[in-house]
Amino acid sequence: MKGNLTLDAHATVGKVDPRLSGSFIEHVGRAVYHGIYQPDHPSADADGFRQDVIDLVKHLQVPIIRYPGGNFVSGFNWEDSVGPKDQRPRRLDLAWRSVETNQFGLHEFEAWAKKVNADTMMAVNLGTRGIDAARNLIEYTNFPRGTYYSDLRRQNGADQPFNIKTWCLGNEMDGPWQIGHKDATDYGKLANETSKALKWVDSSIETVACGSSALDMPTFGQWENTVLNIAYDNVDYLSLHRYYGNRDDDTPNYLAQNLDFDDFISGVVAMCDAIKARRHNKKQINLSMDEWNVWYHSNQQDDETAPWQEHPHLLEDIYNFEDAILVGSLLITLLKHADRVKIACLAQLVNVIAPIMTDDNGKAWAQSIFYPFMQASTMGRGTVLTPNTSAETYSTKEFHTVSYLDSIGVLNDAGNQVTVFAVNKSLDTPMQLHVDAGTFDFKQVTGATQFAGYAPKQTAQDAAMHIAPNTKYTLDATGLTIELPPLSWNTVQIAV
Ligand code: AHR
């Protein structure tokens, strides 16, 4: 099978915002406790943070991490999580029907995020709480000193403000499962007023209003329209959330879900721009895909989990190889929309629908999805080149025309290297991908890798998976030709 990607230095999508490689830590299951924080673990540092997990997180180079939820945040009192640990209350977390001990809180998260070189994307509770708690929180985190909450922060050990720059105005407020769920008008007003108050405390921040929590929400479209009509002038981003699963074991259809992801993004961009046009507004609203991933393997087990435990095993999807290939295609889709999607958070980071797991024997390990995410994060920085691709197509029960090839190129900031990412979706046929140099002068291949050779259902739980070098390429005056194995995620780096 043949595929083609033509590059053109003058046709670009836009610059990649590094926050496209963000992730997410929520107080749910074992993400925090027995995930990133476990004082009695042999690798724990003086703060109780697991060094083995920190090392794996650092491989992913996540520049921003959303915290502390998720559904959790809609019932969370941030004040419970600061101050002396022995005085912090144990609370019922209604979102996940668990017990929250608050032994890991705001200061601990800030210290941990610093160790993994990530900024915080802070979510405020617009479920059970509102403007007052949010403005107090930002006074606590961002105001230097000399007021009640800023001095409380200093008293609690942080003399310098945390200076958190990206703020989520609640979480999935369109969902009936959300504590304090609201209709679009009520949410729009609350988000608008909360954003104003947050920015009055610190005008340098940016805020994210909740969009739809899935493309198939019955309120999709209406919700975006109503919320943005109310809050357009005072918010900076609109959020999208999207999870996928191969529930009926139809792999070709599953691997085509990036088309749904693409439609979702394009649809929300169109809605933002329609409102912009109608209002004759110069300001553009960009997107924050602040939860995305595969999520379905653990659903049944979660239904059977007894409630009101501390850090129960919840949402512990064990990912297989086909999941990693879909994640690769979703990453390419995000890059394709780098002009409008400025923030994206792989949900989540550790133990909970995560690329990194810890097991009950104390071992930390990388899941299959770790590998494409790591490569897109570390190599996909710079300017995205307009993806001009062609390849054979197939159809599935949900999609009429699915290309076997997903591919995109990113030019680094120095302008001397193009990285090509490519997925071959065929389950049995290799693809000869020709990367047409277009206006570039391809000097040499500086690296080529493949993530391939695993059965679709193979996981990394028992034996680690590996990215291997790909040597099956040739370079000539017209460009590069490289063989992409069946069912594979691939990268090529070319000096230009
Ligand atoms: O990431 C898991 C959950 O998915 C989040 O808490 C919620 O926002 C979404 O429904």
Side-chain angles (χ1 to χ4, degrees):
M1 188 172 7
K2 286 197 160 101
N4 192 81
L5 168 71
T6 301
L7 303 178
D8 178 350
H10 307 297
T12 61
V13 174
K15 208 158 157 46
V16 178
D17 187 317
R19 293 175 299 174
L20 209 59
S21 303
S23 191
F24 179 28
I25 288 283
E26 174 170 8
H27 281 254
V28 46
R30 301 186 308 123
V32 171
Y33 309 103
H34 287 201
I36 63 178
Y37 178 72
Q38 192 175 0
D40 62 0
H41 188 270
S43 82
D45 65 14
D47 293 319
F49 304 151
R50 283 184 63 156
Q51 190 60 48
D52 55 351
V53 173
I54 288 176
D55 292 343
L56 282 165
V57 172
K58 278 185 167 173
H59 281 292
L60 299 178
Q61 291 184 19
V62 282
I64 191 162
I65 303 177
R66 188 165 174 254
Y67 178 81
N71 296 338
F72 171 80
V73 79
S74 297
F76 176 55
N77 299 335
W78 67 264
E79 303 88 337
D80 292 347
S81 81
V82 300
K85 287 190 178 179
D86 60 359
Q87 290 167 33
R88 297 184 193 172
R90 291 165 60 84
R91 296 271 192 200
L92 287 184
D93 162 22
L94 302 188
W96 299 106
R97 293 166 60 79
S98 304
V99 171
E100 173 55 53
T101 63
N102 283 304
Q103 291 306 290
F104 182 100
L106 188 51
H107 289 253
E108 290 76 27
F109 184 76
E110 288 302 315
W112 181 81
K114 210 174 192 171
K115 289 187 182 177
V116 298
N117 307 316
D119 292 332
T120 302
M121 180 180 190
M122 179 64 74
V124 301
N125 174 356
L126 295 189
T128 59
R129 307 188 84 188
I131 306 169
D132 198 39
R135 66 155 177 159
N136 294 342
L137 174 57
I138 196 169
E139 180 184 321
Y140 188 95
T141 59
N142 286 23
F143 202 75
R145 59 180 60 220
T147 63
Y148 179 79
Y149 284 106
S150 58
D151 285 343
L152 186 59
R153 180 199 70 239
R154 296 175 62 227
Q155 192 183 308
N156 287 336
D159 186 54
Q160 294 304 311
F162 298 136
N163 275 328
I164 297 167
K165 294 297 174 203
T166 315
W167 291 75
C168 297
L169 302 164
N171 176 70
E172 294 190 350
M173 299 307 298
D174 63 327
W177 59 86
Q178 203 66 212
I179 308 168
H181 158 62
K182 292 169 180 54
D183 68 25
T185 305
D186 287 351
Y187 171 70
K189 287 180 183 166
L190 182 57
N192 189 44
E193 295 304 320
T194 305
S195 190
K196 280 160 60 183
L198 290 172
K199 289 180 175 184
W200 281 333
V201 178
D202 182 348
S203 61
S204 70
I205 65 156
E206 292 185 319
T207 57
V208 184
C210 294
S212 290
S213 50
L215 179 56
D216 44 13
M217 290 299 288
T219 49
F220 175 64
Q222 288 291 354
W223 176 274
E224 281 75 4
N225 198 38
T226 306
V227 169
L228 280 187
N229 268 322
I230 298 168
Y232 198 96
D233 292 336
N234 293 307
V235 304
D236 304 284
Y237 303 93
L238 190 64
S239 76
L240 306 80
H241 290 179
R242 199 68 176 135
Y243 293 102
Y244 295 103
N246 190 5
R247 291 196 167 76
D248 38 13
D249 197 10
D250 179 346
T251 298
N253 187 61
Y254 178 54
L255 295 177
Q257 297 299 325
N258 61 303
L259 299 178
D260 169 283
F261 203 51
D262 191 82
D263 277 354
F264 190 16
I265 294 169
S266 304
V268 176
V269 167
M271 288 189 263
C272 292
D273 290 352
I275 295 170
K276 175 175 184 250
R278 200 170 57 232
R279 296 165 68 103
H280 305 289
N281 214 316
K282 296 256 182 300
K283 176 180 170 184
Q284 174 174 287
I285 299 285
N286 287 320
L287 308 193
S288 172
M289 178 67 78
D290 45 43
E291 290 186 29
W292 70 272
N293 202 350
V294 170
W295 177 12
Y296 78 107
H297 297 284
S298 59
N299 294 165
Q300 193 182 336
Q301 187 189 323
D302 291 350
D303 289 344
E304 292 159 8
T305 301
W308 314 127
Q309 303 180 58
E310 289 177 23
H311 49 78
H313 288 264
L314 280 179
L315 283 67
E316 298 198 5
D317 272 42
I318 301 301
Y319 292 116
N320 59 34
F321 187 60
E322 68 183 18
D323 297 329
I325 299 304
L326 176 62
V327 163
S329 291
L330 298 175
L331 288 161
I332 289 173
T333 309
L334 288 170
L335 287 169
K336 199 173 147 190
H337 290 281
D339 55 333
R340 299 304 294 272
V341 183
K342 299 295 175 186
I343 305 168
C345 303
L346 177 72
Q348 298 191 11
L349 187 54
V350 180
N351 282 337
V352 168
I353 42 174
I356 297 166
M357 298 297 289
T358 66
D359 65 20
D360 288 340
N361 302 318
K363 190 183 122 202
W365 57 282
Q367 296 234 52
S368 61
I369 63 168
F370 180 95
Y371 299 96
F373 184 82
M374 175 180 68
Q375 290 195 309
S377 174
T378 55
M379 301 170 163
R381 310 271 171 110
T383 299
V384 180
L385 304 168
T386 304
N388 186 355
T389 58
S390 60
E392 271 178 50
T393 61
Y394 66 97
S395 27
T396 73
K397 63 175 181 234
E398 278 183 85
F399 305 97
H400 291 307
T401 314
V402 184
S403 174
Y404 282 105
L405 172 70
D406 289 321
S407 189
I408 203 153
V410 180
L411 178 65
N412 69 354
D413 285 334
N416 59 7
Q417 179 169 271
V418 170
T419 299
V420 171
F421 300 101
V423 164
N424 176 6
K425 291 182 182 175
S426 170
L427 299 180
D428 46 31
T429 312
M431 179 184 290
Q432 299 301 319
L433 173 66
H434 182 67
V435 183
D436 189 326
T439 56
F440 286 103
D441 173 20
F442 282 1
K443 297 202 166 78
Q444 60 168 327
V445 172
T446 51
T449 68
Q450 57 183 0
F451 191 39
Y454 298 103
K457 307 297 180 194
Q458 188 168 335
T459 75
Q461 190 165 32
D462 299 323
M465 289 178 159
H466 298 284
I467 287 179
N470 186 342
T471 50
K472 292 188 179 168
Y473 62 81
T474 53
L475 199 57
D476 63 26
T478 66
L480 167 101
T481 303
I482 184 161
E483 182 170 307
L484 312 180
L487 194 60
S488 61
W489 156 264
N490 305 270
T491 70
V492 197
Q493 294 189 295
I494 309 157
V496 293

